[in-house]
Amino acid sequence: MADQIQDFPQLPYINFEATRLRKSVKDGFSSLRKHATLSPAAWKTLGIVAWILVFSWQIIGLVLYAIRAFETSINAKHASFQSTQIELYSNSEALELTWLVTLFFNNALVMLAVSKVPSFVGYFVILKKLVRLPSFWSLLALTAVSMSGYVIIMAFKYDSAMELALIVAFMVERLVQVILVSFINFTQVNHAWNTGSRIVFVFIKTNITFSFLNYFIQFVVGSVQFTLDVYGIDNEIETESDLFHIFGAIRRVAVVVFCYRIFKFYWEKLFIDNRNILCHYDFLEKRHGTQENLLQLNSQ
């Protein structure tokens, strides 16, 4: 009898209670994923809310940047990217860097939104048009002079990683602005409103207004720094040389003129959307009947 009992095969033990529990948990997660799936309208609402929060931070960051820039320029004769503590709020350098990084990502979104406007003719088409614009090359020349000044300043900033990061952030932001201005110049943003893409219209127009305020403040800051001889560097040996004074003056003039060109462009783009602001304010679209109307006026 004992031998017969040993001959029975040992069946695996199955915990039916644990199996039912796992199945119920799995079904619960499946049901949760099914009900947690957001509709396109919900995703759009979340995107709008997220952008409002980011844009609110950009406005706050612009105010904080203006406070830091004016205080460092007037009290310490330093540029905002130099290591200078201000009394009004702490961690001002880190906040300025965070603001510049968010500006970069926001401008990338604006560039993407511009491509969604019905009147957008394409990146390569715009590049071909830009090559034939003298004002575009003059803007690039201003950018190159200001960039070279930043590079020279970086050569003496090897002791501060934060200063290097801020200088690089300013350089990238200026380059992105040149690209963004070039694409917006050939795009009629108002077409987005007329064709039903009103979210795109509001997004671009709001950022155009913000960019105008941003570069207007930077223009005022640059003018103050030019008046107070703020070089952005504390190396006494270099700042005492005549060559450094000449190059420093050229760089600061280039920065001020660059900021003026950018904020002036955005200001005009708010009101003159159908014209090529970078080139004699020509119409972006050919208007039929213009010559006939002129002939009629001349005949009268």
Side-chain angles (χ1 to χ4, degrees), residues 87-112:
E87 298 179 357
L88 191 59
Y89 62 94
S90 58
N91 299 321
S92 58
E93 295 176 350
L95 290 173
E96 183 178 0
L97 180 61
T98 305
W99 174 66
L100 289 170
V101 172
T102 55
L103 275 182
F104 169 77
F105 287 106
N106 183 75
N107 289 332
L109 291 177
V110 175
M111 201 174 303
L112 179 62

Side-chain angles (χ1 to χ4, degrees), residues 44-54:
K44 182 183 293 186
T45 303
L46 286 177
I48 293 174
V49 172
W51 177 76
I52 290 175
L53 294 176
V54 173

